[in-house]
Amino acid sequence: MNYVLAQALLCLCLKTEMSSNEICLLLGATGVGKTLLLKRLQKLSLHGLGELGGPPSTLPTVGTNLTDLTLKKKKVTLRELGGCMGPIWPSYFKDCSSVIFMVDSANIAQISSSCVQLLSVLSAEPLQSASVLILFNKSDLPCTLSLVEMKSLFRMDDIIASAPQPITTMEISARSGQGLQEVLSWLESIIVK
């Protein structure tokens, strides 16, 4: 077999393999805890809650991070896009079937810009049928707004009522592990569809 044909077959095989894989985008402003969430979900899916341990160190993501999880014998790839990449997030929308959008519940100054980003994501044409999970992170910190306060500030009832896609909201702490099992359960529920 010649080299060009071999390359074409390899590309076709890789493309087929990628298309059978669920892709979930992980979005949010810089510093909301996306990378920590990825690392914790990966460890939780492999070892369970009892083995979660202390939080690993992380650095701000410049570019993307890809993490594969196997849930209910199906593979889902979480693609984290750095917060600084906000202007080019839309170029990744057409390849995904779901979105996790994270918000820092302890950073009051960031709430309005996070809301604008969320509305932009929800109104994007390629994401009209994507399942969306909105995570209000850092619930373990003493200066955090409650889930009720966050939902009120975001006007979540209005957003959910007018959005075409199914939206779920959760309060979590990627650092302590609170709510992470529920995030995995949500991922399992969307890949079974």
Side-chain angles (χ1 to χ4, degrees):
M1 187 174 352
N2 72 25
Y3 179 75
V4 174
L5 184 58
Q7 286 294 98
L9 285 174
L10 179 62
C11 286
L12 181 63
C13 290
L14 287 175
K15 200 172 219 177
T16 304
E17 186 178 306
M18 287 297 284
S19 66
S20 67
N21 186 22
E22 295 284 330
I23 295 177
C24 177
L25 287 181
L26 177 55
L27 307 172
T30 301
V32 298
K34 298 181 298 293
T35 304
L36 181 58
L37 177 71
L38 276 184
K39 290 182 176 188
R40 301 294 258 179
L41 288 177
Q42 188 173 38
K43 191 166 187 181
L44 183 62
S45 71
L46 293 172
H47 305 292
L49 203 51
E51 298 291 322
L52 202 53
S57 62
T58 60
L59 295 171
T61 301
V62 178
T64 66
N65 277 331
L66 294 174
T67 300
D68 290 330
L69 302 176
T70 302
L71 306 169
K72 293 193 175 184
K73 297 183 182 178
K74 289 193 178 186
K75 191 166 130 182
V76 62
T77 298
L78 293 174
R79 173 177 278 159
E80 174 196 359
L81 300 178
C84 62
M85 293 178 60
I88 63 166
W89 287 353
S91 62
Y92 292 89
F93 290 171
K94 67 178 173 56
D95 296 328
C96 76
S97 57
S98 58
V99 174
I100 297 175
F101 188 88
M102 285 185 77
V103 178
D104 183 343
S105 299
N107 189 342
I108 309 277
Q110 201 177 58
I111 289 175
S112 62
S113 62
S114 289
C115 188
V116 169
Q117 283 180 319
L118 174 63
L119 291 172
S120 175
V121 167
L122 293 175
S123 64
E125 186 65 37
L127 298 178
Q128 296 301 296
S129 60
S131 297
V132 177
L133 175 61
I134 302 169
L135 298 178
F136 296 104
N137 190 27
K138 303 188 182 180
S139 63
D140 58 317
L141 297 179
C143 58
T144 302
L145 293 173
S146 71
L147 182 60
V148 171
E149 292 168 320
M150 291 299 294
K151 285 175 138 183
S152 175
L153 284 171
F154 270 76
R155 298 187 59 166
M156 284 309 304
D157 291 339
D158 293 337
I159 289 173
I160 290 170
S162 62
Q165 56 274 84
I167 298 174
T168 304
T169 60
M170 290 183 202
E171 184 177 43
I172 67 158
S173 169
R175 182 169 298 284
S176 74
Q178 175 216 333
L180 297 189
Q181 189 58 56
E182 289 79 5
V183 174
L184 281 181
S185 297
W186 180 83
L187 283 167
E188 287 175 354
S189 73
I190 60 157
I191 63 172
V192 168
K193 288 181 182 177

